[in-house]
Amino acid sequence: MSQQVQFFTITDDNAGQRIDNFLVARLKGAPKSLIYRIIRRGEVRVNKGRVKPERKLAVGDLVRVPPIRLAEPDAPTPAGKSLLLALEDAILYETDQLLVVNKPSGLAVHGGSGVNLGLIEAMRQLKAKDAALELVHRLDRETSGCILIARKRSMLRYLQDLFRGEKQVDKRYQALVKGRWPNRAHSVNMPLLKGEVGNGERIVRASPEGKPSRTEFDVLERFESATLIEARPITGRTHQIRVHAQYKGHPLVGDDKYGDDEFNKVMSQFGSRRLFLHAGYLGVPMPDGEYLEFRAPLPDDLQATLKQLKASER
C-alpha cells in the first residue's frame, strides 16, 4: 500500500514515548528494520529536525513520516460471540482509562507465534471504539486471573512504571505445589536467567548469572501430597513463580515445562487438567492517590481439584 507523507502531532497520550516505538505502533506491518532505516537516513523528522531512535516525544511535537510501502495488514481473527460474552462478564473494573479483566485459562494475552487471537485482540473487538487498548503486563496462557488493560497512553506509561519497581503493585497468586511447602520458606531470592532449548522454546532457570528475582510465599492450606500457597512476586521476571517453586523442590501442579510429569499424572486423578496458577489479587496505587484492589475468585476447575483432594483425605 502506497502512502503519502504523514504528519502526527503528539498528544499527552504519546508524550514520553520513544520515536521508534511510536512508529512501530503507527506503521502497522512495517518491519523494524525499515523503521530504523528511515530514522537513520533522516527521513523521519521531529519539528523539522533529524532524530535518533531513542528520542522521546513531547506534547506538541510534530512528527513527519515519509511515504513508505506497507503490506496490507492481516485482518485480525474475529472473536466468537461466546468468547466476547465471556470476556464481557469477566470485566472486574472499568473506567475511561483502565480495564481490569479476569482472564480465563487457555487464552493467550496476545496473538502471534501460532496464536491467531489473544485477549487484547478480543478486547479490542469487544470495545471497538477503544483503538488505544494496550496490555499493561502479561500472564502466561494457562494462568488465569487479574490483568490490567490501559485505555489511555498516559495510564499505560504510569502503570508500566509501577510494574518496573519493587512492591509498587501488590500481586498475589494462588498456586498448588507438589509436596509439603516448608513453613519457613517465606522468601525465595534467586536470580533467573532466560534461555532457549534446542527447538527454540523459551526456558528460564535459576542461575547466579541471571537477573535478581524475589518471590514471597505463604502456606494457605495443606493436603497429603500437595500444598496450596500464596505467591507474591516482588520482581517481575518471566515464569518467576513457576521457576522459584521448582528451585525449592516444589513445582506447580500441572506445569508441563517446569513441573513433575509423574506427579502431574497423579494429580490428574483429582481433576487437575492445567497449570494450577491463578492471579487472584492486584493492589494498585492510582495517580490521584486512590488505592484500588481487584480480586478474581479461584476458577471452578481449580476449586474442583481442591475439593477432590479434601474428599480423598477423609
Side-chain angles (χ1 to χ4, degrees):
M1 180 176 63
S2 180
Q3 293 189 344
Q4 304 299 315
V5 172
Q6 297 183 83
F7 291 93
F8 300 95
T9 300
I10 301 305
T11 65
D12 182 65
D13 280 347
N14 301 113
Q17 191 174 23
R18 288 171 45 134
I19 182 65
D20 55 350
N21 292 333
F22 174 80
L23 294 176
V24 167
R26 290 298 175 279
L27 303 178
K28 301 295 186 184
K32 287 188 177 180
S33 58
L34 172 60
I35 288 172
Y36 285 109
R37 185 162 65 247
I38 61 176
I39 294 174
R40 186 174 61 250
R41 290 177 176 175
E43 297 176 53
V44 173
R45 300 286 177 125
V46 177
N47 302 328
K48 299 183 179 180
R50 298 173 68 113
V51 291
K52 293 184 177 180
E54 61 270 20
R55 161 69 182 273
K56 290 190 175 181
L57 298 169
V59 173
D61 280 349
L62 182 65
V63 179
R64 176 196 184 275
V65 180
I68 58 175
R69 292 188 63 85
L70 295 177
E72 290 288 349
D74 294 333
T77 301
K81 185 176 180 180
S82 60
L83 175 59
L84 294 178
L85 288 173
L87 291 179
E88 183 72 58
D89 289 341
I91 295 173
L92 302 173
Y93 178 83
E94 183 172 8
T95 67
D96 62 346
Q97 297 196 69
L98 181 65
L99 284 166
V100 184
V101 178
N102 181 9
K103 186 187 84 67
S105 175
L107 179 64
V109 292
H110 59 76
S113 301
V115 177
N116 294 326
L117 181 74
L119 172 70
I120 190 62
E121 291 85 9
M123 290 302 298
R124 286 169 181 159
Q125 293 178 42
L126 181 64
K127 304 291 184 181
K129 295 180 181 179
D130 285 352
L133 283 185
E134 294 288 351
L135 292 165
V136 175
H137 59 118
R138 298 184 179 189
L139 293 176
D140 292 340
R141 182 172 184 168
E142 293 305 310
T143 303
S144 51
C146 298
I147 190 165
L148 305 177
I149 298 175
R151 278 179 144 160
K152 302 280 188 181
R153 183 76 198 176
S154 55
M155 180 57 68
L156 178 66
R157 292 199 314 271
Y158 169 77
L159 291 173
Q160 287 183 334
D161 285 343
L162 289 186
F163 271 86
R164 291 187 185 103
E166 287 198 3
K167 288 197 170 180
Q168 296 287 326
V169 177
D170 186 359
K171 300 165 285 183
R172 304 181 195 179
Y173 294 73
Q174 291 165 281
L176 188 66
V177 300
K178 176 185 176 182
R180 183 179 179 84
W181 186 273
N183 282 329
R184 295 182 180 180
H186 290 301
S187 182
V188 175
N189 199 344
M190 170 54 66
L192 298 179
L193 182 66
K194 282 185 183 180
E196 290 186 357
V197 292
N199 61 1
E201 182 183 5
R202 183 175 59 179
I203 196 81
V204 179
R205 60 186 176 88
S207 168
E209 299 174 358
K211 293 183 178 180
S213 307
R214 182 159 66 97
T215 309
E216 295 178 350
F217 295 95
D218 280 308
V219 173
L220 296 177
E221 189 171 3
R222 294 193 185 279
F223 303 93
E224 185 175 339
S225 58
T227 308
L228 182 66
I229 59 172
E230 179 180 83
R232 297 182 301 281
I234 306 305
T235 51
R237 310 300 179 203
T238 300
H239 299 166
Q240 178 174 315
I241 294 171
R242 298 163 65 183
V243 179
H244 274 171
Q246 177 203 44
Y247 170 75
K248 292 298 293 182
H250 300 277
L252 268 62
V253 169
D255 193 335
D256 59 5
K257 182 173 289 192
Y258 306 104
D260 181 321
D261 291 342
E262 290 303 315
F263 185 68
N264 287 341
K265 289 179 182 177
V266 172
M267 292 304 298
S268 68
Q269 300 172 19
F270 300 96
S272 175
R273 298 289 182 268
R274 55 106 162 176
L275 178 69
F276 199 121
L277 184 61
H278 177 68
Y281 173 89
L282 282 175
V284 187
M286 289 288 104
D288 61 2
E290 184 180 9
Y291 192 82
L292 298 180
E293 296 180 285
F294 309 111
R295 291 177 173 84
L298 198 65
D300 291 344
D301 61 333
L302 301 187
Q303 289 194 44
T305 295
L306 298 182
K307 288 179 181 178
Q308 290 194 46
L309 280 172
K310 291 177 185 178
S312 71
E313 298 177 359
R314 291 173 184 165

